[in-house]
Structure formats: C-alpha cells, structure tokens
Amino acid sequence: MIKVAMTSVFVDDVARAHAFYTEILGFETRLHMDLGDGTPFVTVGAPGGAQPDLQLLLEPGQGPIAEPYRTALYEAGIPCIVFSVDDLPAEYERMRGLGVRFPHPPREQGPVLAAVFDDSVGNLVQLTQPRV
C-alpha cells in the first residue's frame, strides 16, 4: 500500500511559518534541523498522535520554480493545501480572533463547508468540514 508520508508548502520564511503553523494552527513540530549550510528542514504534523506518519514540510519558497508557482496560486485565489477541521465556524472565529485574515469566510461548497485563510507566509490555505 502506498501512503502519503510528506508533502510540502513553500513559504516566505521558514521560522515565521513554523511559528504560524504551530502557534496559530496547532500543529506539532516533527523535525527541526539545519541541513548543514544554514538551510532549515522543518516539518510539522497533527498533534497528539493523529496522523503520525504524515508530515508537512515548511519549504523555503524562494527560487525560479517555487516563486512563480506560489505567486500564480495566490493571485488566482487557489489554496496551496487543504486541511480538515471538526468545527469550521468555531475554528474560523478562533483564528480571526488571533488576527488571521480570511479572504473567503465559511460557506457551503458542495459536500463541505469551506473557508480560505492567508497563512502570513505567502499562501492561501483552505479549511473544510464535511456537511452532515
């Protein structure tokens, strides 16, 4: 069986992204190391043992491939990744209270309730909750 082990999000600043993804979104740090040349290698994941084999790499987003890709996604309003939550309205209010900007507040989109926020490091991210 093939499973996703790691995926990445290109970010403006790895240290700021690490703070946002852990302090605001509530992810836990899985790996935090220097690759030897000052380049950080930082992964986060769901806390408390949820999805223990899945990591999100906070990848430096500078460079000839990453920058145009990120810019095009952002300008088109396309989220770079989708996260699920149990209670989207509560998460939306909590995050707004922490100063997170939502260009797309919660609304129904087919089988899910969805919202899009700015992760403060160059990306739009979608939150979804299945509609019951």
Side-chain angles (χ1 to χ4, degrees):
M1 169 175 50
I2 297 174
K3 300 187 310 182
V4 176
M6 183 182 297
T7 190
S8 62
V9 171
F10 293 113
V11 298
D12 292 337
D13 180 295
V14 173
R16 276 188 334 159
H18 183 236
F20 182 88
Y21 279 73
T22 56
E23 296 169 16
I24 302 294
L25 298 184
F27 286 106
E28 65 184 18
T29 303
R30 298 281 175 83
L31 292 171
H32 194 291
M33 58 195 297
D34 185 324
L35 294 179
D37 60 354
T39 301
F41 187 87
V42 178
T43 69
V44 297
Q51 297 179 305
D53 58 347
L54 179 58
Q55 299 179 74
L56 178 63
L57 173 61
L58 304 175
E59 184 136 22
Q62 297 72 29
I65 295 171
E67 285 187 45
Y69 170 75
R70 290 175 53 225
T71 299
L73 283 178
Y74 195 93
E75 289 176 356
I78 299 171
C80 69
I81 195 163
V82 178
F83 298 133
S84 64
V85 295
D86 294 328
D87 185 345
L88 183 55
E91 229 11 79
Y92 171 75
E93 291 302 328
R94 182 189 72 78
M95 291 172 63
R96 280 191 59 216
L98 294 171
V100 176
R101 187 178 75 80
F102 279 82
H104 169 323
R107 62 180 173 214
E108 293 181 2
Q109 287 186 312
V112 299
L113 184 61
V116 174
F117 67 88
D118 185 317
D119 75 354
S120 77
V121 286
N123 302 293
L124 296 175
V125 176
Q126 186 172 46
L127 294 178
T128 65
Q129 174 189 342
R131 288 178 44 210
V132 183

Short mmCIF file of all heavy atoms in Angstrom, two decimals, residues 1-7 49-55:
data_model
loop_
_atom_site.label_atom_id
_atom_site.label_comp_id
_atom_site.label_asym_id
_atom_site.label_seq_id
_atom_site.Cartn_x
_atom_site.Cartn_y
_atom_site.Cartn_z
N MET A 1 0.85 -1.18 0.00
CA MET A 1 0.00 0.00 0.00
C MET A 1 0.89 1.24 0.00
O MET A 1 1.85 1.32 0.76
CB MET A 1 -0.90 -0.01 1.23
CG MET A 1 -1.59 1.30 1.43
SD MET A 1 -2.79 1.39 2.78
CE MET A 1 -1.93 0.75 4.16
N ILE A 2 0.56 2.20 -0.84
CA ILE A 2 1.27 3.47 -0.90
C ILE A 2 0.47 4.50 -0.11
O ILE A 2 -0.75 4.59 -0.27
CB ILE A 2 1.46 3.94 -2.35
CG1 ILE A 2 2.33 2.94 -3.12
CG2 ILE A 2 2.06 5.33 -2.38
CD1 ILE A 2 2.46 3.25 -4.59
N LYS A 3 1.17 5.26 0.74
CA LYS A 3 0.52 6.32 1.53
C LYS A 3 1.35 7.59 1.42
O LYS A 3 2.55 7.53 1.18
CB LYS A 3 0.45 5.92 3.01
CG LYS A 3 -0.34 4.67 3.28
CD LYS A 3 -0.55 4.39 4.76
CE LYS A 3 0.70 4.45 5.58
NZ LYS A 3 0.49 4.14 6.99
N VAL A 4 0.73 8.72 1.62
CA VAL A 4 1.45 9.99 1.65
C VAL A 4 2.23 10.05 2.96
O VAL A 4 1.66 9.87 4.04
CB VAL A 4 0.47 11.18 1.56
CG1 VAL A 4 1.23 12.49 1.69
CG2 VAL A 4 -0.30 11.14 0.26
N ALA A 5 3.53 10.29 2.88
CA ALA A 5 4.37 10.41 4.07
C ALA A 5 4.70 11.87 4.37
O ALA A 5 4.76 12.27 5.52
CB ALA A 5 5.67 9.62 3.89
N MET A 6 4.93 12.65 3.31
CA MET A 6 5.28 14.05 3.50
C MET A 6 4.84 14.82 2.27
O MET A 6 4.91 14.33 1.14
CB MET A 6 6.80 14.19 3.67
CG MET A 6 7.26 15.61 3.94
SD MET A 6 9.07 15.75 4.08
CE MET A 6 9.41 14.72 5.50
N THR A 7 4.37 16.02 2.51
CA THR A 7 4.08 16.95 1.43
C THR A 7 4.65 18.28 1.88
O THR A 7 4.96 18.47 3.05
CB THR A 7 2.56 17.02 1.12
OG1 THR A 7 2.38 17.77 -0.08
CG2 THR A 7 1.78 17.62 2.26
N GLY A 49 -0.62 12.49 18.22
CA GLY A 49 -0.61 11.17 17.61
C GLY A 49 -1.55 10.99 16.43
O GLY A 49 -1.60 9.93 15.83
N ALA A 50 -2.32 12.03 16.10
CA ALA A 50 -3.18 11.94 14.91
C ALA A 50 -2.27 11.98 13.68
O ALA A 50 -1.35 12.77 13.60
CB ALA A 50 -4.16 13.10 14.89
N GLN A 51 -2.51 11.12 12.74
CA GLN A 51 -1.72 11.04 11.50
C GLN A 51 -0.21 11.03 11.78
O GLN A 51 0.54 11.84 11.26
CB GLN A 51 -2.07 12.20 10.58
CG GLN A 51 -3.51 12.20 10.13
CD GLN A 51 -3.83 13.39 9.24
OE1 GLN A 51 -3.60 14.53 9.61
NE2 GLN A 51 -4.35 13.10 8.07
N PRO A 52 0.28 10.09 12.59
CA PRO A 52 1.68 10.10 12.97
C PRO A 52 2.66 9.91 11.82
O PRO A 52 3.82 10.31 11.91
CB PRO A 52 1.80 8.95 13.97
CG PRO A 52 0.68 8.04 13.61
CD PRO A 52 -0.43 8.93 13.14
N ASP A 53 2.20 9.33 10.72
CA ASP A 53 3.10 9.08 9.59
C ASP A 53 2.99 10.12 8.48
O ASP A 53 3.52 9.94 7.40
CB ASP A 53 2.86 7.68 9.03
CG ASP A 53 1.42 7.47 8.57
OD1 ASP A 53 0.55 8.29 8.90
OD2 ASP A 53 1.17 6.46 7.89
N LEU A 54 2.33 11.24 8.77
CA LEU A 54 2.17 12.30 7.77
C LEU A 54 2.78 13.59 8.28
O LEU A 54 2.45 14.07 9.36
CB LEU A 54 0.68 12.52 7.46
CG LEU A 54 0.36 13.61 6.45
CD1 LEU A 54 1.03 13.36 5.10
CD2 LEU A 54 -1.15 13.72 6.28
N GLN A 55 3.71 14.15 7.49
CA GLN A 55 4.37 15.39 7.86
C GLN A 55 4.19 16.44 6.77
O GLN A 55 4.11 16.10 5.59
CB GLN A 55 5.87 15.15 8.06
CG GLN A 55 6.19 14.17 9.16
CD GLN A 55 7.67 13.97 9.29
OE1 GLN A 55 8.37 14.84 9.80
NE2 GLN A 55 8.17 12.83 8.83
#
